Amino acid sequence: MEPNTTSSANAHDHAPRAVPPEDFLHLEITAPKIVAAGIPAIVSSLKHVVGESGLRGLQALMAINQTNGFDCPGCAWPDPARHRSVNEYCENGAKAIAEEATSNLVTPEFFAQHSVSEMAEWSDYKIGKSGRVAHPMILRAGTEHYEPISWDDAFSLIARELNALASPDEALFYTSGRASNEAAFLYQLVVRLYGTNNLPDCSNMCHESSGKALKEVIGVGKGTVSLEDFDKADAIFVIGQNPGTNHPRMLTALEQAKRKGCTIVSINPLPETGLMAFKHPQEVWNWLGSGTKLTDVFLQVKINGDIAVMKGIMKLMLEAEERLPGTVFDHEFIEQHTTGYDALIADLRATTWAEIEQGSGLKREEIAKAADVVIASKRIIACWAMGLTQHKNSVVTIQTVVNMLLLRGSIGKEGAGACPVRGHSNVQ
């Protein structure tokens, strides 16, 4: 179903190990925690910032996500439009700042000591903790060590290579989510002035399927909600996403929504601690309690079983609609703003419960709990991340999620819509 729209190279060939064996030597398996954040998050944040960057890092923390500060390089979660806390960051953000502002420097002597082949065996963690690169460096053809180069010579080398191309489109420019907003803005200006739009970023790898899916069904490849919508939602679905690990500030938004009566449904192979219960680090009065229970309905779906789950939810919605016509589907919205309704309904009828249960790894009774939430809610937000986007069928999966929203008319109004949690701040 769709809304109506007017327009529809390394110097060696050695393959590094993903994680060196020695990194596993001190791992311990323990029982999972039952609540996220709280005092441990504060202690961990200060430990990293003070230990790695000292006063410099503490000063940077006070500017993260502030109106006159800078966006945190840690994740993509947006900042409040109005009131902002003095500490508008999470443990991940503190760790990111600790690494960016670290007093450990990677000097030319470091690269003289460690070869490319040696460093290729290191984990990302070990590389990151080596320190900040403090001098422009170059890896010349046929060598195994980076060598220092002056800024003038580095700029001349880059310009010479770019000017030698037959067309600007022969060049490709990439940005990491770790680059700051300001640096990324200037970078894309340089690229476009150079004459090309070959400027992919980390979001292309993470959420290209979200952009394609949304553009085909709603005409634009971006999310349709703002942070303020979370305060007005009746239900929030968190699908294929681990916010407690990857963007912990989202837990604050979920906690605020929950306190206002919102129902939260989590669909994920992993019962992540952060989605189960949360202690806001800034709420001292809750440090000793059991935290705020976030998830009301948890569906432990099979990996890549999300299409089956969503079809099951919509099939139950259809059954409820047929029992009481006009009480579940927003027919006015469907008629005015969508196409393909009949084809969707025919597909739901043709899909058997045996197929749904086998595909999702869930029983009908479990899926019915999520369907009941949808049926009882007027304003629904569906969030997802790379648990949905990193599959061969990810585009169809995301479109299936959007179909559920369209049946309820939960797009284009406050407190409702599609929310791909995508990209760091500098790729927006």
Side-chain angles (χ1 to χ4, degrees), residues 49-68:
V49 173
V50 175
E52 292 189 54
S53 53
L55 180 60
R56 171 191 173 107
L58 290 174
Q59 291 173 330
L61 286 181
M62 297 300 99
I64 295 181
N65 297 320
Q66 299 301 322
T67 303
N68 296 320

Side-chain angles (χ1 to χ4, degrees), residues 35-303:
V35 61
I39 296 177
I42 299 173
V43 173
S44 177
S45 298
L46 292 176
K47 174 184 174 182
H48 284 276
V49 173
V50 175
E52 292 189 54
S53 53
L55 180 60
R56 171 191 173 107
L58 290 174
Q59 291 173 330
L61 286 181
M62 297 300 99
I64 295 181
N65 297 320
Q66 299 301 322
T67 303
N68 296 320
F70 61 93
D71 277 336
C72 177
C75 81
W77 196 247
D79 304 321
R82 292 179 289 276
H83 173 72
R84 300 191 186 189
S85 166
V86 174
N87 299 297
E88 194 64 54
Y89 56 87
C90 68
E91 183 181 351
N92 282 0
K95 290 178 179 178
I97 291 303
E99 190 164 297
E100 294 293 322
T102 179
S103 56
N104 298 326
L105 300 181
V106 175
T107 63
E109 290 75 22
F110 174 92
F111 288 107
Q113 180 181 355
H114 302 290
S115 69
V116 173
S117 295
E118 178 190 354
M119 291 188 290
E121 297 289 333
W122 296 358
S123 66
D124 290 345
Y125 178 82
K126 183 174 181 178
I127 291 174
K129 293 305 179 184
S130 296
R132 292 183 291 117
V133 179
H135 195 286
M137 306 293 294
I138 183 173
L139 182 63
R140 302 187 187 277
T143 65
E144 273 286 307
H145 290 266
Y146 281 93
E147 304 170 10
I149 185 174
S150 70
W151 282 111
D152 287 343
D153 289 344
F155 291 141
S156 296
L157 174 62
I158 295 170
R160 187 164 61 248
E161 293 292 330
L162 292 176
N163 287 331
L165 298 178
S167 165
D169 290 334
E170 291 183 356
L172 185 146
F173 302 82
Y174 179 80
T175 56
S176 163
R178 288 299 188 187
S180 69
N181 260 354
E182 295 79 5
F185 178 74
L186 292 173
Y187 184 58
Q188 61 87 25
L189 283 180
V190 170
V191 174
R192 290 184 168 92
L193 284 171
Y194 176 62
T196 184
N197 198 36
N198 289 344
L199 189 66
D201 52 54
C202 54
S203 186
N204 289 91
M205 292 196 295
C206 299
H207 274 277
E208 188 72 10
S209 51
S210 294
K212 181 174 177 60
L214 292 174
K215 192 169 185 178
E216 289 182 357
V217 295
I218 63 174
V220 62
K222 304 292 184 181
T224 67
V225 299
S226 67
L227 185 56
E228 287 69 31
D229 286 308
F230 281 75
D231 290 334
K232 303 168 185 175
D234 298 322
I236 299 173
F237 278 66
V238 183
I239 314 170
Q241 184 183 359
N242 301 320
T245 303
N246 298 318
H247 25 264
R249 284 200 302 145
M250 181 180 179
L251 299 181
T252 301
L254 294 177
E255 180 185 56
Q256 292 173 349
K258 188 65 187 284
R259 289 174 175 174
K260 293 183 179 181
C262 180
T263 301
I264 298 176
V265 178
S266 301
I267 304 176
N268 204 5
L270 173 73
E272 193 201 34
T273 301
L275 278 174
M276 299 301 117
F278 171 63
K279 289 184 182 180
H280 199 308
Q282 297 181 37
E283 295 182 352
V284 180
W285 56 93
N286 285 328
W287 283 358
L288 300 179
S290 58
T292 302
K293 179 186 176 184
L294 295 182
T295 295
D296 296 283
V297 177
F298 171 60
L299 300 182
Q300 193 164 14
V301 66
K302 284 169 55 175
I303 293 176

